[in-house]
Amino acid sequence: TADVEPQPQLPDVAGPSLDARLERIGAVATTLQAAAAVLPADDPRPATWLRRLDSFVSTAFDDDMVNAELAELESEAGVLLAGVIAPEPFTFTLTGRSGDIDIRIGNRLDEPLNVVVRLSSPRLEFPDGDVAVTLAPDDVTVVNVPVVARSNGTSPVTVEVLTPPPTSVPLTEPVTLTSRVNALTGLGQVLTAALLLMLLTWWFSHWRARRRENAPDEPESVAAE
């Protein structure tokens, strides 16, 4: 019988495992995606970041070099994500059913940043929903937010500054404002107006009666001789 050549045995793993590296690349990619969301749509950096990440999925680069490159990318993204300055807490009062408030958000970087401002409160509604805004470079941007009162009273208002969708990553710690709502609406307003009218009517009638009581008697006319 003819001799049978032995079949080559392939190793279970072709080269060193890249599992840990791929996990690290994925984590950095998530951070870079959030940073890309705050940049203008035509900014070239996100495309450059993606190409660099793709190049790291190769055994041609050792782990030390890849980890150093990933740390550099992560640091670059971190600078962008840390550029937003949270608004200062303050108290505001609504004396009507609707109004607006101004949220002052800072940008410590020398380039514009796109963010989303989200407000929530148990007693207020925000008809515009999340507000997308571009923060001016190295400046404070005033964000005007319309507000509608649901009920009277004092309540907290939570302000969050996030990266634009789809990431929606918090850029600062949430800030709590204090709202005071003195708006009378619906039946309460009608009843208050009616009571006020009754009070004014009673006061006017009482004033006229007192005036008649205090008026001097008319002198009798003297007959001519």
Side-chain angles (χ1 to χ4, degrees), residues 30-61:
T30 299
T31 302
L32 290 173
Q33 185 182 21
V38 305
L39 295 174
D42 59 352
D43 193 289
R45 281 173 286 185
T48 301
W49 296 337
L50 185 59
R51 287 194 297 270
R52 291 179 66 183
L53 290 179
D54 287 343
S55 70
F56 298 151
V57 188
S58 169
T59 55
F61 302 104

Side-chain angles (χ1 to χ4, degrees), residues 9 26 37 72 76 93 97 102 157-158 160 163 181 186-187 203:
Q9 296 296 317
E72 180 182 329
E76 186 177 352
T93 301
R97 185 173 183 274
D102 289 335
V157 177
T158 301
E160 299 175 88
T163 60
V181 179
L187 181 60
W203 179 86

Side-chain angles (χ1 to χ4, degrees), residues 45-179:
R45 281 173 286 185
T48 301
W49 296 337
L50 185 59
R51 287 194 297 270
R52 291 179 66 183
L53 290 179
D54 287 343
S55 70
F56 298 151
V57 188
S58 169
T59 55
F61 302 104
D62 62 41
D63 288 339
D64 290 341
M65 191 218 74
V66 171
N67 287 332
E69 292 281 344
L70 291 175
E72 180 182 329
L73 289 173
E74 199 168 35
S75 176
E76 186 177 352
V79 170
L80 290 170
L81 296 176
V84 177
I85 303 172
E88 293 292 333
F90 62 89
T91 299
F92 64 94
T93 301
L94 282 180
T95 56
R97 185 173 183 274
S98 61
D100 53 75
I101 56 177
D102 289 335
I103 310 295
R104 301 171 62 86
I105 304 174
N107 177 5
R108 59 172 55 91
L109 303 183
D110 59 358
E111 59 180 315
L113 297 175
N114 296 322
V115 302
V116 167
V117 182
R118 177 179 297 167
L119 280 74
S120 57
S121 172
R123 293 184 183 270
L124 302 177
E125 293 179 351
F126 306 95
D128 288 356
D130 294 350
V131 180
V133 62
T134 299
L135 303 180
D138 195 23
D139 201 355
V140 174
T141 300
V142 179
V143 184
N144 185 264
V145 181
V147 177
V148 176
R150 288 201 296 248
S151 61
N152 292 341
T154 300
S155 64
V157 177
T158 301
V159 180
E160 299 175 88
V161 185
L162 313 169
T163 60
T167 55
S168 299
V169 172
L171 292 168
T172 67
E173 291 294 324
V175 174
T176 301
L177 313 181
T178 302
S179 70

